[in-house]
Amino acid sequence: MSKPNDLVQGTLDLLLLKMLALEPLHGWAISLRLKSISGDVLQVSEGSLYPALHKLEQEGWISAEWKQTENNRRAKFYSLTRIGRKQLESEAANWQRLSSAISHVVELSEV
Amino acid sequence: MRWEHWWFTASLRLRSILRRTRVEQELDEELRFHLEHKIEEGIAQGLSPKEARYRALRAMDGLEQRKEEMRDMRRIHWLTDFLDDSRYAIRSLRRTPGLTASVAFTLALGIGMTSAVFSIVDAMIFRPYPVPHPGNVVTLVSTTQDNSFDYFSYREYLDIAGKTKSYDGVIADADMEAVGFSAGPKAIPRVKGGKLVSANYFHVLGVEPRLGRGFREDEDRVPGRAAVVVLGAAFWRQEFAGDPSVLGRQVRLNGVDFTVIGVAREGFPGMDVFGHPDFYMPLAMARVFSTNREKNFFEDRNDRELNISARLKPGTTLHQAQNELAVLAKDFEREYPKLNRSRGATVHSHFQMRTRDDDINWKFGVIFAILALSVLLVACTNVAGLLLSRARTRTREIAVRLAIGAGRFRLIRLLMTESLILACLGGLAGIAIGYGVVEWFRTFKNVVLMTDLPTSMPFRMDARVLLASLALTLLSALLCGLVPALQSTRTDLVNGLKSADGDVPGPKRLWGRNALVVAQVSVSLMLLTASFLMFRSFESSALDGNGFAKDHLLMTSFDPRLVQYSTAQTQQFYKLLAERMRKTSGVRSVTLTQNVPLGQDGFDSLALVPDGFQIPRDRENFSSTMDTVDEGYFETMGIRILRGRGFLASDTADAARVAIVNEQFAKHFWPGADAVGQHIRLDSSTGTPVQVVGVAETIKNQSTYAPADFVYMPLAQHPIPRMTLMLRSAGDPLQLVQSVKDVVRTLDPNLPMLDTRSYAEYYRNQAVEGPRIAVKLVGSMGVVGLLLAIAGLYGVVAYNVSRRTREIGIRIALGAESFDVLRAVMGKGLMLVAMGTAIGLALGFAVERLMNSMVFDSGGVDIVAYLVVVPLMFLATMLAAYVPARRASRIAPTQALRYE
């Protein structure tokens, strides 16, 4: 049982928004993609994925639609909304600022 | 962005609430879709289906927990929890129907009384003008040293309207006056209410007539040229059955034909609280109506008969408008030093006008509101006590809930939901009670508003009052629920689970309950004090200075302006009227007076300078209330002349001017000297001298509370158009009505008789019954408060006794006398009552001071009131404690020890 730590928790929203900005996806596809792009570094439990998606949906950042998958099964596809795109921009900018600040600190050469 | 966000999420929440099952299904389906894929993936990797399934579920970290987490994300928990709590609360309340009913009834009394009283306060103070954007309609008043709410003259109105820049329009109107209305030229005129208004009146207020049109500017420019009238909506429906063809028709007002050009809006009954004009006429037609004949309305800057209102320009503050008008008033003072000396002007908001200092009605409203809120407070504390006792029987249940992991906050919410439901029951019943009380108020229309003019009681149970009731309901839910909820969730778990009666002995538990009783006793003592004080001051006001005659008097008023009489014609009419009435059989004496004592109309005020009295430097004159009467007045009204003489037939217009003052006036201006023979000068120290020829007994003319300085002038020397005929009869005064009608018909068949009544009845309604309504209202609050306090104290002592039954039994078994037990149990109650009484006395003094400063001019403390109220309260509450204490002293030890 690995509860993602706070940093990861905070960035999960960002990852999901970014992923959905590229194309609408259903939950299973998201979980596969999460694993392939960051599986070794970030441990995102499948269990915490769905609550996170629901939260984003309730915030109005992503919207859901039931559609057929390629092999003809009904699945809930999530896609980014207009205000979600704004949210993504602001969160991405935040992340940039934070990570550059931290790397700046980390790269300070010890004397 | 924010708005868009809100819109988006609101629809999602709504979906989660309204389509709960659908949303749940989708949740399941989505997770199943994921699991199936995961299982397929596992099988493809070579796991058995069972293993694959197990792995898939494990990856989820507990399916049900996740689902619950996702439900939390919907943010409608508060609602679903609330619904669950409500269902549970209703079930548990239904199990104790008696308690539920009594709690709901107690709250209903408090909420009902308060909402009914709020309807008074709202009508008197808060209800906005019935026009669009009522908030920026302000009122302009002229101010002098004696009168902060004086009227303006027509000339001043034109100046103000022309020179101010703060407003989107300045309007003027005169007070509603009696108008003689006849539908055709032959018909005998009937009395209706008419209002003179400036041409822009409807336009500036934003209430253009519903039918036809408002006045054009040119109809208000030349005096007497455009005889046009706008009808009030209610009058139009009554008199013309809502016929739209009334436009263009002629109606006769005060003997002059007017053309109907419009009908006012249904929702615009006028700007006043009580009166609703039947007619609106342009100011230019003032000559036809009841303006001062002696003065020239259109030219005389001292003929002050107009109210001025205005609509503030957007962005202009009241303060800016006030400054502008103050400067203008200074200009007036410079330009007309004689007329406008020490006269200022200011601008008031709607609220400031409604809470004007010289109006007593709203002050009563505020006092009623304070008392009604106190009743509600007593009711809430009472209910809180009942709920505490109820919580005691549930200690076990609450302990179990806490033990299996319910949060304290969650339990408080559950208990608060219960009190909310109780309060809602009480609120519903309270609205019914409030509705009844408001209807009861309205039945007093003919007592409070005795006039032939169109008026109505403004109190009603409207949306605003209902909203207030809702707020009161929520407030009482909080007041009566919070203490029990906090206290009963503080249970000691171990003890709570162990014993059936899980009440933990100790001071902390009882503290809240005792505080509640002290609060009840003190607030209801205050209520009783207030009602008793009010009763006493009305009694004394109804007795002192009211020694004049009231019985066997018929009153009826005339206004010959209604048929266009000149001053000479008017004088002749009154002379003949009095002469002929004197000769009528059954008439003992006859008099004419401008106003009757303690009537509805205000007396005129007279500006004067008494000779020999040092006048302060900053003053031009003094003002006194006055009445114009004829020679029979003092005899007919039974008012004694203490010195000098009454008026005589020889005090004619050609004779030297004379006046009679009341004793208070004489003592005020000529202390220690004889007033008879002194002179007063009218308006200023260089004005017309008038000799005082008599001093009359001081009576209360204007207000029942305090008599005032008063001057009487003879009608022959001070002609007044509108006079009231007073007839002293041998028998029933109303039997003289026909004789008066006959005499008036011989003089002028077109002249209507106004406000024909028995003076005794009029006086009773105005000075006795009206105030008595207030006493009844406040008295019933006092009684309700007392009953609730008695019930509360009884509850607490009884509760104590039942809690200590076993202990008392042991004491008795060990040899305690029943008297000792009685004393021990009563002692507690006694202490609570004593504390409540002390606090209640302080509250009582505070409320007495408040009432004195607001309505009754008397200072000082009414000791008698306290001597009656305090022992009464004490006795009643002691009795409430005695009954259960006596029961305790009779406990049989064998029974008590077997108890439980």
Side-chain angles (χ1 to χ4, degrees):
Chain A
M1 286 270 282
S2 62
K3 280 260 168 191
N5 59 46
D6 283 347
L7 185 65
V8 176
Q9 181 88 66
T11 46
L12 180 57
D13 288 358
L14 177 59
L15 285 177
L16 291 175
L17 288 173
K18 183 69 197 173
M19 220 176 276
L20 293 172
L22 304 173
E23 59 178 318
L25 292 169
H26 53 72
W28 174 247
I30 295 173
S31 80
L32 290 181
R33 199 160 296 191
L34 263 180
K35 214 169 292 173
S36 69
I37 55 176
S38 63
D40 298 332
V41 188
L42 300 171
Q43 287 277 333
V44 179
S45 117
E46 286 164 33
S48 52
L49 173 66
Y50 286 92
L53 282 171
H54 272 233
K55 189 188 131 207
L56 295 181
E57 188 190 355
Q58 291 295 332
E59 291 285 356
W61 294 333
I62 60 176
S63 63
E65 198 184 355
W66 287 89
K67 279 197 294 203
Q68 301 288 330
T69 62
E70 54 270 33
N71 43 12
N72 265 344
R73 290 173 66 177
R74 245 166 66 83
K76 198 176 177 188
F77 279 79
Y78 293 96
S79 57
L80 205 62
T81 63
R82 218 162 57 77
I83 51 177
R85 196 166 296 278
K86 284 184 191 156
Q87 179 66 20
L88 172 61
E89 282 163 19
S90 82
E91 280 199 22
N94 268 342
W95 174 256
Q96 291 291 0
R97 237 191 355 260
L98 186 68
S99 61
S100 73
I102 291 178
S103 22
H104 187 70
V105 172
V106 170
E107 284 159 19
L108 282 178
S109 52
E110 291 170 41
V111 186
Chain B
M1 167 75 193
R2 279 234 58 88
W3 184 85
E4 192 189 12
H5 187 218
W6 183 87
W7 169 246
F8 212 92
T9 53
S11 59
L12 282 168
R13 305 271 190 285
L14 211 61
R15 184 165 181 266
S16 326
I17 294 167
L18 297 178
R19 318 205 51 184
R20 210 169 161 186
T21 35
R22 176 74 192 275
V23 171
E24 279 295 311
Q25 271 173 11
E26 288 184 3
L27 183 74
D28 278 342
E29 198 178 336
E30 186 181 15
L31 290 174
R32 199 167 53 232
F33 177 80
H34 180 97
L35 287 176
E36 281 167 9
H37 274 283
K38 186 88 183 168
I39 293 168
E40 279 166 23
E41 188 194 61
I43 293 174
Q45 287 167 358
L47 294 170
S48 73
K50 206 176 161 192
E51 277 169 333
R53 188 179 168 75
Y54 179 67
R55 196 188 66 162
L57 282 174
R58 259 194 54 170
M60 270 290 163
D61 289 345
L63 196 60
E64 284 307 315
Q65 280 95 316
R66 291 301 169 194
K67 277 189 187 170
E68 196 57 33
E69 220 175 296
M70 286 154 87
R71 283 181 202 120
D72 278 351
M73 291 299 169
R74 286 180 217 152
R75 309 227 184 123
I76 51 157
H77 240 93
W78 54 271
L79 186 81
T80 50
D81 281 357
F82 174 72
L83 291 178
D84 290 344
D85 284 358
S86 306
R87 249 180 305 237
Y88 178 79
I90 288 170
R91 228 182 301 136
S92 73
L93 289 175
R94 276 173 63 177
R95 251 179 312 196
T96 51
L99 183 87
T100 305
S102 72
V103 164
F105 179 70
T106 307
L107 287 178
L109 277 180
I111 294 174
M113 285 231 170
T114 317
S115 347
V117 167
F118 178 75
S119 80
I120 298 184
V121 177
D122 188 46
M124 294 292 183
I125 303 177
F126 299 114
R127 189 184 297 163
Y129 294 126
V131 300
H133 311 293
N136 51 29
V137 175
V138 294
T139 306
L140 282 58
V141 293
S142 185
T143 58
T144 66
Q145 274 158 328
D146 303 308
N147 186 355
S148 335
F149 294 91
D150 206 359
Y151 296 90
F152 289 98
S153 62
Y154 183 71
R155 281 280 144 197
E156 282 176 325
Y157 164 60
L158 294 184
D159 287 346
I160 290 172
K163 288 177 184 165
T164 49
K165 296 190 171 56
S166 307
Y167 311 109
D168 272 341
V170 182
I171 57 172
D173 65 275
D175 286 343
M176 181 169 73
E177 286 274 0
V179 165
F181 159 78
S182 35
K186 288 270 156 56
I188 290 179
R190 282 171 292 148
V191 177
K192 297 289 167 190
K195 196 174 193 55
L196 288 165
V197 298
S198 53
N200 56 356
Y201 188 75
F202 296 106
H203 180 70
V204 171
L205 290 177
V207 283
E208 300 287 357
R210 57 176 280 173
L211 200 65
R213 59 174 177 88
F215 302 114
R216 286 195 313 258
E217 285 297 329
D218 62 280
E219 286 167 332
D220 194 22
R221 210 165 291 143
V222 184
R225 192 177 65 183
V228 286
V229 62
V230 170
L231 306 181
F235 175 77
W236 172 63
R237 264 184 288 111
Q238 240 171 54
E239 199 70 30
F240 296 98
D243 178 7
S245 74
V246 72
L247 293 182
R249 214 187 280 185
Q250 304 275 313
V251 293
R252 181 164 282 210
L253 303 180
N254 289 358
V256 175
D257 286 328
F258 278 72
T259 308
V260 177
I261 58 161
V263 176
R265 274 192 204 182
E266 199 68 48
F268 181 71
M271 297 287 275
D272 296 328
V273 175
F274 293 102
H276 315 298
D278 296 318
F279 305 105
Y280 297 89
M281 300 80 63
L283 286 178
M285 297 308 291
R287 289 259 170 73
V288 180
F289 299 97
S290 309
T291 50
N292 194 330
R293 272 295 147 81
E294 296 301 288
K295 299 181 173 174
N296 185 342
F297 176 79
F298 295 105
E299 297 302 327
D300 193 338
R301 297 191 74 93
N302 212 22
D303 181 11
R304 307 183 162 275
E305 304 190 46
L306 294 179
N307 311 293
I308 301 186
S309 308
R311 204 177 258 288
L312 278 179
K313 270 190 187 146
T316 309
T317 63
L318 190 64
H319 189 68
Q320 286 166 338
Q322 281 166 344
N323 286 341
E324 183 188 44
L325 191 63
V327 171
L328 197 57
K330 279 265 176 280
D331 289 348
F332 287 163
E333 205 177 343
R334 230 183 345 265
E335 234 172 302
Y336 311 97
K338 192 110 191 77
L339 296 174
N340 282 50
R341 183 165 165 203
S342 316
R343 184 178 279 278
T346 190
V347 186
H348 288 309
S349 65
H350 170 262
F351 180 78
Q352 286 166 331
M353 281 310 280
R354 287 285 154 85
T355 55
R356 48 194 279 181
D357 206 39
D358 57 348
D359 177 21
I360 205 163
N361 292 323
W362 72 269
K363 295 182 181 174
F364 273 116
V366 169
I367 289 181
F368 292 158
I370 293 172
L371 298 182
L373 278 173
S374 312
V375 171
L376 184 60
L377 189 68
V378 175
C380 285
T381 44
N382 196 294
V383 168
L386 283 174
L387 290 182
L388 263 181
S389 316
R390 182 162 181 274
R392 174 193 161 227
T393 60
R394 292 172 61 180
T395 322
R396 184 86 173 260
E397 175 207 327
I398 288 167
V400 169
R401 280 167 179 273
L402 284 170
I404 60 177
R408 184 170 175 216
F409 177 71
R410 192 68 193 74
L411 271 182
I412 290 176
R413 243 177 73 183
L414 172 68
L415 294 173
M416 290 302 286
T417 308
E418 274 188 37
S419 52
L420 182 67
I421 286 171
L422 279 172
C424 286
L425 286 175
L428 278 180
I431 287 169
I433 291 179
Y435 191 83
V437 177
V438 169
E439 286 303 308
W440 180 67
F441 289 155
R442 292 167 67 96
T443 59
F444 293 114
K445 176 182 187 293
N446 292 325
V447 175
V448 183
L449 302 170
M450 282 192 98
T451 169
D452 286 353
L453 293 179
T455 53
S456 74
M457 293 290 257
F459 318 124
R460 53 176 191 240
M461 209 70 183
D462 56 7
R464 294 164 60 83
V465 180
L466 288 180
L467 203 66
S469 315
L470 183 70
L472 289 171
T473 302
L474 296 180
L475 178 76
S476 35
L478 203 66
L479 277 179
C480 67
L482 203 56
V483 174
L486 287 178
Q487 209 162 53
S488 52
T489 50
R490 210 167 44 202
T491 307
D492 175 357
L493 276 190
V494 182
N495 271 325
L497 288 172
K498 255 196 317 213
S499 76
D501 170 13
D503 199 10
V504 192
K508 230 179 174 185
R509 274 233 101 179
L510 288 171
W511 186 88
R513 193 181 300 268
N514 293 340
L516 291 178
V517 171
V518 171
Q520 279 173 54
V521 171
S522 56
V523 175
S524 45
L525 182 66
M526 182 200 84
L527 279 170
L528 273 185
T529 311
S531 43
F532 202 74
L533 283 173
M534 211 167 240
F535 171 74
R536 295 230 331 142
S537 51
F538 281 127
E539 287 300 296
S540 71
S541 75
L543 289 177
D544 305 337
N546 298 0
F548 50 87
K550 293 153 207 115
D551 295 331
H552 300 292
L553 283 171
L554 179 75
M555 58 185 273
T556 180
S557 306
F558 299 93
D559 196 339
R561 285 173 299 189
L562 303 191
V563 286
Q564 306 298 304
Y565 275 18
S566 67
T567 306
Q569 279 174 305
T570 303
Q571 290 286 70
Q572 181 65 15
F573 167 78
Y574 283 129
K575 202 169 151 227
L576 289 174
L577 178 68
E579 262 172 29
R580 292 198 189 164
M581 285 320 301
R582 241 169 236 130
K583 286 185 207 133
T584 309
S585 69
V587 175
R588 286 213 175 139
S589 69
V590 176
T591 190
L592 289 157
T593 175
Q594 189 181 357
N595 292 114
V596 296
L598 296 178
Q600 206 147 47
D601 302 315
F603 285 86
D604 280 356
S605 75
L606 180 70
L608 55 89
V609 175
D611 267 2
F613 191 81
Q614 190 57 48
I615 194 160
R617 199 174 284 275
D618 60 337
R619 271 181 176 272
E620 181 85 355
N621 50 38
F622 287 99
S623 83
S624 162
T625 38
M626 68 158 295
D627 193 13
T628 304
V629 300
D630 77 347
E631 56 267 30
Y633 185 70
F634 296 99
E635 180 209 333
T636 309
M637 292 306 294
I639 300 169
R640 284 175 298 140
I641 295 292
L642 303 175
R643 300 194 47 77
R645 62 172 176 89
F647 293 128
L648 302 172
S650 59
D651 294 323
T652 59
D654 310 323
R657 291 204 63 171
V658 294
I660 291 171
V661 299
N662 71 356
E663 200 182 1
Q664 184 172 327
F665 187 99
K667 282 192 176 146
H668 181 179
F669 290 108
W670 299 291
D674 189 356
V676 175
Q678 305 275 9
H679 284 80
I680 50 179
R681 287 174 186 273
L682 304 184
D683 294 327
S684 69
S685 49
T686 53
T688 318
V690 177
Q691 190 181 22
V692 175
V693 292
V695 176
E697 165 191 16
T698 303
I699 63 161
K700 286 177 184 163
N701 274 304
Q702 182 92 64
S703 131
T704 43
Y705 304 112
D709 290 353
F710 209 78
V711 179
Y712 298 92
M713 296 274 215
L715 177 63
Q717 296 182 347
H718 190 253
I720 292 289
R722 187 193 156 117
M723 295 292 283
T724 300
L725 177 75
M726 299 285 274
L727 297 177
R728 172 169 288 273
S729 62
D732 180 2
L734 289 176
Q735 279 173 351
L736 289 176
V737 174
Q738 196 50 49
S739 327
V740 182
K741 274 188 186 157
D742 294 341
V743 169
V744 173
R745 196 171 305 145
T746 62
L747 290 170
D748 186 338
N750 280 325
L751 191 65
M753 288 161 64
L754 315 175
D755 295 317
T756 306
R757 298 196 164 83
S758 140
Y759 178 66
E761 188 203 338
Y762 182 72
Y763 169 83
R764 200 170 49 244
N765 284 337
Q766 288 291 308
V768 184
E769 291 299 327
R772 201 164 275 173
I773 299 168
V775 173
K776 273 185 199 160
L777 183 63
V778 176
S780 57
M781 292 183 193
V783 169
V784 169
L786 180 67
L787 289 179
L788 289 177
I790 289 175
L793 191 75
Y794 174 85
V796 162
V797 177
Y799 167 74
N800 257 330
V801 168
S802 71
R803 202 173 52 90
R804 291 170 61 187
T805 304
R806 188 206 284 263
E807 175 209 328
I808 293 170
I810 293 172
R811 282 171 188 272
I812 293 177
L814 291 177
E817 293 291 322
S818 68
F819 179 74
D820 297 328
V821 174
L822 193 67
R823 200 177 52 189
V825 176
M826 286 279 286
K828 188 65 174 292
L830 192 73
M831 205 183 72
L832 295 181
V833 171
M835 276 168 67
T837 306
I839 299 173
L841 271 177
L843 287 175
F845 285 131
V847 108
E848 181 174 16
R849 280 197 63 157
L850 182 80
M851 295 204 323
N852 280 341
S853 68
M854 284 183 90
V855 287
F856 310 116
D857 290 331
S858 70
V861 176
D862 188 350
I863 299 290
V864 182
Y866 295 96
L867 286 180
V868 172
V869 171
V870 173
L872 177 75
M873 186 79 202
F874 213 76
L875 271 178
T877 45
M878 283 328 293
L879 197 69
Y882 177 73
V883 175
R886 193 174 139 82
R887 197 171 338 121
S889 70
R890 300 235 169 134
I891 289 172
T894 44
Q895 237 169 36
L897 294 174
R898 236 184 286 132
Y899 182 77
E900 286 166 10

